[in-house]
Amino acid sequence: MRRRINSLGDLDQLGRGPGAAADTAERPPPQAQHDEFEFELPRGYRHTDGTLHRHGRMRLATARDELRPQIDLRVKENPAYLSVVLLSQVITQLGDLTDVHSGLVENMYATDIAFLQDFYRRINSEGHTRAGVTCPSCRTSFEIDLAGDGLGES
């Protein structure tokens, strides 16, 4: 028999399994050795106070992170909203902002969203932030780090 999930509470209860105590406190995910990656946005998010935030951190996604947007009403009404909800769950910091929510992600530039979607895919699928590129002028191939760790890097 399949169990129908109608709310986030149902998803949380399903995660505990049958007979588990109903623990209302949200448990933090276990910390892995390399579970967060730093990034630098191409344009940056301008906060309502005028501060430009470009540097941030994204954690690895869990199965729950990918399941929760599927039952979000906003995603059900507009499947394109899935990436907004998903990114808001895994971005742990943007500049000095630690409360990254879907409203904040909605107000980011499209180029930054595209960058974050690619960054998410790289760290969760490939496990790194490096990308192979080719210079359009000289056709030399080299690798760049999308996280932009060093000076002069993207």
Side-chain angles (χ1 to χ4, degrees):
M1 182 168 109
R2 288 180 62 182
R3 182 167 177 189
R4 184 176 200 104
I5 297 174
N6 294 317
S7 71
L8 293 178
D10 292 343
L11 180 62
D12 291 336
Q13 182 60 36
L14 183 62
R16 283 191 287 275
D23 182 11
T24 57
E26 190 74 23
R27 291 184 199 148
Q31 297 296 313
Q33 189 173 17
H34 296 287
D35 67 342
E36 283 198 358
F37 296 84
E38 294 186 2
F39 62 82
E40 190 168 329
L41 295 174
R43 293 196 183 270
Y45 168 74
R46 183 149 325 263
H47 193 259
T48 54
D49 66 5
T51 308
L52 182 67
H53 301 283
R54 292 187 67 202
H55 184 77
R57 296 179 66 81
M58 182 184 291
R59 68 174 172 78
L60 291 174
T62 64
R64 179 169 293 188
D65 291 327
E66 295 203 354
L67 290 171
R68 279 186 172 203
Q70 299 299 325
I71 59 174
D72 190 302
L73 292 176
R74 298 168 296 184
V75 175
K76 285 182 177 182
E77 290 174 5
N78 181 3
Y81 202 75
L82 179 120
S83 63
V84 170
V85 174
L86 187 56
L87 289 172
S88 70
Q89 293 182 146
V90 296
I91 298 172
T92 59
Q93 184 175 0
L94 186 57
D96 59 0
L97 305 173
T98 55
D99 180 25
V100 179
H101 50 82
S102 57
L104 186 146
V105 176
E106 283 177 356
N107 288 306
M108 291 180 154
Y109 291 110
T111 52
D112 288 337
I113 295 295
F115 169 85
L116 289 168
Q117 289 170 329
D118 186 55
F119 192 77
Y120 175 92
R121 183 187 55 78
R122 285 185 181 282
I123 66 172
N124 286 288
S125 299
E126 301 169 13
H128 62 79
T129 59
R130 296 179 309 279
V133 295
T134 303
C135 175
S137 299
C138 67
R139 303 283 181 223
T140 302
S141 295
F142 56 96
E143 218 174 62
I144 61 167
D145 187 350
L146 291 175
D149 294 326
L151 229 81
E153 292 182 15
S154 58

